[in-house]
Amino acid sequence: MPDVDASLAYYRDILGFRIEGRHLGETGEVVFGSVLRGRTNIYISKKNDPIAKSYCWIGVDEVDDLFATLTANGARVVEAPADKPWDYRQFTLEDINGHSLTFFRFSDGVT
């Protein structure tokens, strides 16, 4: 991730996470941080080597309302809300670094 601070800002401003911490490297650049939304905590760190795309699944109470809020904020949509054969209702977004975040709830409402 070339810019940890920009990533933290995206998770805060677009995806509604709260920034929990920032850690500076020797040059004063943000090299590590964490964000929190509900019970989901994501850690973001600076890497100079290429990073493989990651996939994160986040259980939520309300899929459609959250999708509307996040897309109104400018989130990058990969897949709109849909009921899946594995008994999830879910949608998928992509962060500014190309990582996928799928927000879901079990069809019976249990997360």
Side-chain angles (χ1 to χ4, degrees):
M1 236 169 256
D3 189 338
V4 173
D5 215 29
S7 296
L8 294 172
Y10 182 84
Y11 275 80
R12 179 193 61 216
D13 299 341
I14 305 300
L15 301 181
F17 283 76
R18 183 175 72 235
I19 296 174
E20 288 293 294
R22 286 186 173 94
H23 301 281
L24 304 178
E26 294 176 8
T27 64
E29 175 185 26
V30 178
V31 295
F32 180 83
S34 65
V35 292
L36 180 70
R37 181 183 179 100
R39 297 179 305 192
T40 301
N41 191 228
I42 297 175
Y43 298 97
I44 301 168
S45 64
K46 177 130 178 111
K47 299 288 184 196
N48 294 324
D49 300 326
I51 296 176
K53 181 177 179 174
S54 63
Y55 300 85
C56 182
W57 289 69
I58 302 168
V60 298
D61 292 327
E62 181 47 52
V63 170
D64 296 289
D65 289 345
L66 181 59
F67 179 78
T69 298
L70 299 183
T71 55
N73 290 346
R76 300 174 182 184
V77 176
V78 173
E79 179 184 48
D83 293 318
K84 298 297 185 178
W86 46 88
D87 290 331
Y88 283 9
R89 180 154 182 81
Q90 68 184 53
F91 65 89
T92 301
L93 305 175
E94 184 176 81
D95 75 6
I96 61 173
N97 298 295
H99 302 292
S100 290
L101 298 127
T102 298
F103 295 85
F104 74 95
R105 72 167 169 76
F106 293 108
S107 294
D108 65 2
V110 178
T111 58

